[in-house]
Amino acid sequence: QVQLVESGGGLVQAGGSLRLSCAASGHTFSSYTVGWFRQAPGKEREFVGTSSRSTGSAYYADSVKGRFTISRDNAENAVYLQMSTLKPEDTAVYYCAASVRLGRSSSETDYLYWGQGTQVTVSS
C-alpha cells in the first residue's frame, strides 16, 4: 500500500495557476498509476487526469485538457498537477489517488489509495 499527502491548494484568481503536490510514502510512486479527481460542493466527484505507471503517458478530462498537466518526480517520490488558466468552475477539493494497474484509468474504482484532498478556490 501507499499513503498519499496532498498540498498546494489555495485561492487564486481566474486565469491564474497553481501546482498541486501529492507525496507518497510506503512505496515509490513509480510503482503506481496516478489519478487526479475533484469534487465541487453539491456535485459528484469527477475525473481530472491520470498518468500510467507503465509508460507515464497521461490523458485528461475534456474540461481541463490543455490547461492541466500531470508530472512525476521519482527522486522526490511525488506527483504534481500543474493547473493553468484556472476558471471558477475549477473550484473543488482535489484528490490524488494511486492504482496498481498498469494502464491509466479514469474510473474511481480502479484506485485503492487516496489522499485527503486539498481545496482549490478560483475567484472571478
Side-chain angles (χ1 to χ4, degrees):
Q1 64 176 301
V2 62
Q3 292 178 297
L4 310 177
V5 179
E6 296 156 316
S7 62
L11 176 64
V12 64
Q13 289 188 339
S17 300
L18 282 175
R19 188 182 73 162
L20 305 184
S21 299
C22 183
S25 63
H27 291 278
T28 59
F29 243 138
S30 61
S31 299
Y32 295 89
T33 288
V34 175
W36 285 92
F37 297 81
R38 67 186 183 185
Q39 187 168 25
K43 296 186 177 181
E44 296 181 351
R45 190 177 301 158
E46 66 174 342
F47 167 76
V48 174
T50 181
S51 176
S52 170
R53 72 165 178 163
S54 62
T55 66
S57 63
Y59 74 90
Y60 306 90
D62 289 342
S63 59
V64 306
K65 65 175 56 175
R67 301 187 298 118
F68 290 11
T69 302
I70 298 172
S71 62
R72 295 173 180 260
D73 187 336
N74 290 332
E76 296 292 332
N77 203 25
V79 173
Y80 306 98
L81 180 67
Q82 178 66 51
M83 306 183 295
S84 300
T85 319
L86 284 162
K87 306 174 181 179
E89 305 92 273
D90 295 320
T91 295
V93 176
Y94 283 71
Y95 301 88
C96 66
S99 171
V100 296
R101 64 171 288 154
L102 291 175
R104 58 195 187 184
S105 175
S106 61
S107 299
E108 291 184 34
T109 55
D110 287 335
Y111 295 89
L112 295 178
Y113 311 108
W114 293 77
Q116 82 287 351
T118 185
Q119 177 71 48
V120 173
T121 302
V122 184
S123 64
S124 59

